[in-house]
Every structure is written in structure tokens, then in C-alpha cells.
């Protein structure tokens, strides 16, 4: 089969890889219908994460081709959506809703889903079957649920977005845009998108943003406070992962407010005294997408939400290197790879 391999920073190739096989009786093999490039894939591409002939990809939708003897919840022929963290969905931590911290967690990065096929460990706890075979136009939206939609939803949820709340979203990438969608669906009264990019601002407004703030850092914090009577936002989402963005998010959160952080942060150092005096609730990390997948899949199936618009460039799998380059150069927000 064909699959994406990153040889070193900036060097992405599509190569022949061995077809996946059932290893454990809890595995399933799926033929992917679509996959995509994530913003977090840019960390190794830019040399921030180590990479050496690494298989790539952790977002996926497709059709089940084979299942292990112990798989009961999905069957051959099902169209399925899965999380970027495979989980048994039965351990104590999973039952508490944090499947991304499952005691048997397997990250999909070890599987490499930018490929024609993938082996999905812990299939019963990871895969969610759609009610039937989706129309082609639904596939991008279902693919978004595999990571960015679920991650944005988790961030908005943990930021306690809801009726009567003002939500500020730091980051206008795919996850930030999905957090705006989630905040809107959760009933937020006002949603402030922090963005400097006209095309992303348009999409932010489509998904529910009521205000746009272009300032960053301390100026961005000051603008949020100006818009909120000097108090700051009730709910803030951090969806970037840089020092500036994280401290901007902390500063934009009002006393007693909630910050949900999902930007993958390297070298972010939070001054303890600033966090202490901020007096805010914080929760984040790898999103337990599996917690939300059944409901999100149904919302998409019923055409109540369309997260698929977050894909602004579609390329065949063989052109994955161009997709990485486009995202790195910010010519694309998120690239969908067709198979």
C-alpha cells in the first residue's frame, strides 16, 4: 500500500509500505476513505520534534475490511470514525471520560494513517460506526471528527462554554475554528475569535464568532478586557501552543473563569506566580475525542453541523508533500488527502 513517510524535517515522501495485518484479536483493519494533515504534524516537519523515517498520520475514516476474533462492536463493511488515541473505553479512566489517558492507550501516530489502509488497535473501544454508508460530501466532516472537531469541542467543553458565556478562542487554525463551532453549539452568547487572517476570519464568523480580535500578546489581552467590561472572558480556548498564545489565553480569562488548552505546547513555561494570581480553572491536554464521537458523528450525519469546511485544500495522497508545504507556509489551514 502507499503511505506517507517523513524521512527528516522538511522531507516528506509517499512510499510503498507493508499492508497492515491483524496482530491482536482486538484489532481491525480499515481501508481509508480519506485522511489529512494535522497542524501537529508540522512540529516534526519544522524540526521541533525528532523524526527519522517516521510513518505519519493520526486522523482517519474508512471501511472495515477485517476484524480480530475479539472484535464485537464493528463488523466488516462498516464505515467508521476513530479517535487519534486508541482506547479500550472500559478502563476506569475511560469510564470517567478521559479515553486519551486510557491505561492501554495507543496513539495513532504509531499506526500512520496517512495511508491507504491502517491497523486500528482496540477497535471495539475506538471505532464508531456511522448509521450507514455516508454520502461523499459527508466524508470531510466525519474526518474532522477524528481529531480537530473532537479536540476543539473538548477545549470548549472544558472551558465551560455555554449559555450566557463569553468565549475567547486563541488560535485560528483548524482546532480553533472547531472550538468556535463547539462554543456556538454549546450555546455561548458571545464568541471572540483571535485571528489576523481574512479567510480564517470569514470561516470563524461562519462557525459562530461574533467578534474578531487581531491584536496579540498583551495588546490582545487588553482588547479582550475592553470587550468584556474589563473582566476578561468567562471561557477561553488555547489552540496554538506557543509561549505567547498560552500567556495570552491566561491573561484573557477572567478571575474564576475557565481555560481549556489543547495547543501542543513545546517549551511553554508558565510563571507560577502569574498562574497563581490569575485565579482561574485550567484543563487540557490530548483530547478524549472518543468521549464525543458518537454525538458528533450523529450531528454530522443529521447535517446539523458541517466541520468539513475547515479543509481548504484537497489533494490526492501522492501529493502529501505539497500539502505539508502548503500548511507550513500558511497557504492552507488544513489539507484533506483523498484515496
Amino acid at each position: 500500500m502507499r503511505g506517507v513517510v517523513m524521512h527528516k524535517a522538511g522531507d516528506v515522501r509517499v512510499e510503498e509500505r507493508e499492508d497492515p495485518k491483524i496482530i491482536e484479536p482486538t484489532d481491525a483493519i480499515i481501508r481509508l476513505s480519506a485522511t489529512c494533515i494535522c497542524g501537529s504534524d508540522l512540529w516534526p516537519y519544522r524540526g521541533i520534534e525528532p523524526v527519522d523515517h517516521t510513518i505519519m498520520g493520526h486522523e482517519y475514516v474508512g471501511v472495515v475490511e477485517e476484524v480480530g476474533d475479539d472484535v464485537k462492536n464493528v463488523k466488516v463493511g462498516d464505515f467508521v470514525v476513530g479517535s487519534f488515541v486508541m482506547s479500550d473505553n472500559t478502563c476506569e479512566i475511560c469510564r470517567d471520560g478521559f479515553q486519551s489517558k486510557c491505561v492501554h492507550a495507543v496513539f495513532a501516530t504509531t499506526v500512520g494513517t496517512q495511508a491507504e489502509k491502517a491497523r486500528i488497535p482496540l477497535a471495539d473501544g475506538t471505532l464508531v460506526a456511522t448509521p450507514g454508508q455516508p454520502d461523499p460530501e459527508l466524508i470531510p466532516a466525519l474526518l474532522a471528527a477524528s481529531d480537530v472537531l473532537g479536540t476543539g469541542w473538548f477545549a470548549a467543553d472544558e472551558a465551560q462554554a455555554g449559555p450566557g458565556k463569553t468565549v475567547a478562542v486563541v488560535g485560528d487554525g483548524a482546532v480553533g475554528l472547531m472550538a468556535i463551532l463547539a462554543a456556538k453549539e454549546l450555546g455561548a452568547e458571545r464568541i471572540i475569535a483571535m485571528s489576523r487572517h481574512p479567510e480564517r476570519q470569514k470561516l470563524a464568523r461562519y462557525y459562530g464568532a461574533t467578534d474578531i480580535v487581531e491584536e496579540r500578546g498583551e495588546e490582545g489581552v487588553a482588547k479582550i478586557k475592553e470587550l468584556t467590561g474589563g473582566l476578561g472572558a468567562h471561557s477561553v480556548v488555547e489552540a496554538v501552543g506557543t509561549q505567547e498564545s498560552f500567556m495570552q489565553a491566561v491573561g484573557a480569562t477572567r478571575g474564576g473563569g475557565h481555560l481549556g488548552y489543547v495547543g501542543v505546547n513545546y517549551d511553554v513555561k508558565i510563571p507560577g506566580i502569574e498562574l497563581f494570581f490569575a485565579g482561574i480553572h485550567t484543563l487540557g491536554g490530548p483530547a478524549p475525542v472518543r468521549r464525543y464521537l458518537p454525538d458528533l458523528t450523529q450531528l454530522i450525519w443529521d447535517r446539523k453541523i458541517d466541520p468539513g469546511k475547515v479543509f481548504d485544500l484537497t489533494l490526492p495522497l501522492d501529493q502529501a508533500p505539497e500539502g505539508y508545504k502548503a500548511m507550513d507556509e500558511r497557504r492552507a489551514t488544513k489539507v484533506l488527502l483523498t484515496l
Side-chain angles (χ1 to χ4, degrees):
M1 69 171 187
R2 304 284 284 166
V4 175
V5 179
M6 190 179 296
H7 284 237
K8 60 183 180 180
D11 183 1
V12 175
R13 308 180 195 182
V14 181
E15 302 176 344
E16 284 296 325
R17 287 172 44 196
E18 186 177 351
D19 281 2
K21 297 178 175 61
I22 297 290
I23 297 174
E24 301 290 340
T26 50
D27 291 346
I29 305 297
I30 64 170
R31 175 173 289 279
L32 275 77
S33 300
T35 184
C36 55
I37 302 170
C38 182
S40 63
D41 293 332
L42 297 181
W43 293 115
Y45 187 79
R46 292 169 174 165
I48 297 169
E49 270 183 16
V51 63
D52 182 9
H53 294 77
T54 303
I55 56 176
M56 298 299 297
H58 55 266
E59 297 155 283
Y60 55 99
V61 294
V63 177
V64 177
E65 284 200 337
E66 186 180 357
V67 296
D69 291 341
D70 292 348
V71 176
K72 308 300 180 189
N73 294 341
V74 296
K75 62 184 185 302
V76 172
D78 282 348
F79 190 94
V80 292
V81 186
S83 166
F84 67 90
V85 180
M86 290 82 168
S87 58
D88 59 29
N89 209 31
T90 59
C91 79
E92 189 171 334
I93 294 176
C94 283
R95 294 199 306 271
D96 283 342
F98 282 84
Q99 291 91 336
S100 53
K101 298 299 295 181
C102 173
V103 297
H104 300 118
V106 178
F107 276 79
T109 49
T110 64
V111 170
T113 61
Q114 288 170 14
E116 293 174 320
K117 294 184 180 183
R119 179 181 72 90
I120 307 301
L122 304 171
D124 268 351
T126 300
L127 299 175
V128 173
T130 57
Q133 296 298 316
D135 295 332
E137 64 268 20
L138 278 186
I139 289 177
L142 291 167
L143 178 60
S146 183
D147 183 353
V148 289
L149 174 60
T151 296
W153 201 285
F154 169 65
D157 191 15
E158 298 309 335
Q160 301 290 293
K165 298 288 186 69
T166 293
V167 180
V169 178
V170 180
D172 63 359
V175 171
L177 292 167
M178 294 297 93
I180 292 168
L181 180 159
K184 176 71 171 177
E185 290 297 312
L186 291 168
E189 182 175 298
R190 189 178 192 185
I191 303 170
I192 304 168
M194 308 195 84
S195 171
R196 290 180 167 181
H197 305 279
E199 291 306 312
R200 297 185 186 192
Q201 290 174 2
K202 289 178 187 176
L203 199 50
R205 289 198 180 276
Y206 170 80
Y207 281 131
T210 56
D211 301 85
I212 303 291
V213 168
E214 295 193 356
E215 292 84 352
R216 290 182 178 175
E218 292 183 2
E219 291 182 357
V221 170
K223 187 65 176 180
I224 294 293
K225 290 193 173 180
E226 178 187 325
L227 292 171
T228 55
L231 300 177
H234 302 94
S235 307
V236 177
V237 169
E238 198 290 317
V240 183
T242 65
Q243 182 75 26
E244 182 183 59
S245 66
F246 200 98
M247 296 315 300
Q248 180 176 310
V250 170
T253 310
R254 68 174 58 193
H258 291 76
L259 167 61
Y261 58 94
V262 290
V264 180
N265 47 52
Y266 283 92
D267 298 325
V268 172
K269 294 178 173 59
I270 307 165
I273 198 69
E274 290 192 37
L275 188 61
F276 179 80
F277 280 109
I280 62 176
H281 303 79
T282 63
L283 184 59
V289 169
R290 180 60 178 80
R291 183 203 305 181
Y292 303 101
L293 264 186
D295 290 341
L296 296 181
T297 299
Q298 195 63 52
L299 284 170
I300 293 165
W301 194 263
D302 294 339
R303 290 173 167 76
K304 292 181 178 178
I305 60 173
D306 183 11
K309 290 185 181 298
V310 77
F311 295 105
D312 54 355
L313 178 61
T314 298
L315 297 170
L317 180 68
D318 282 343
Q319 292 183 30
E322 168 56 26
Y324 274 83
K325 186 176 180 183
M327 285 182 61
D328 181 50
E329 296 173 352
R330 297 182 71 84
R331 289 185 285 109
T333 301
K334 191 164 181 66
V335 176
L336 186 146
L337 299 173
T338 58
L339 295 139

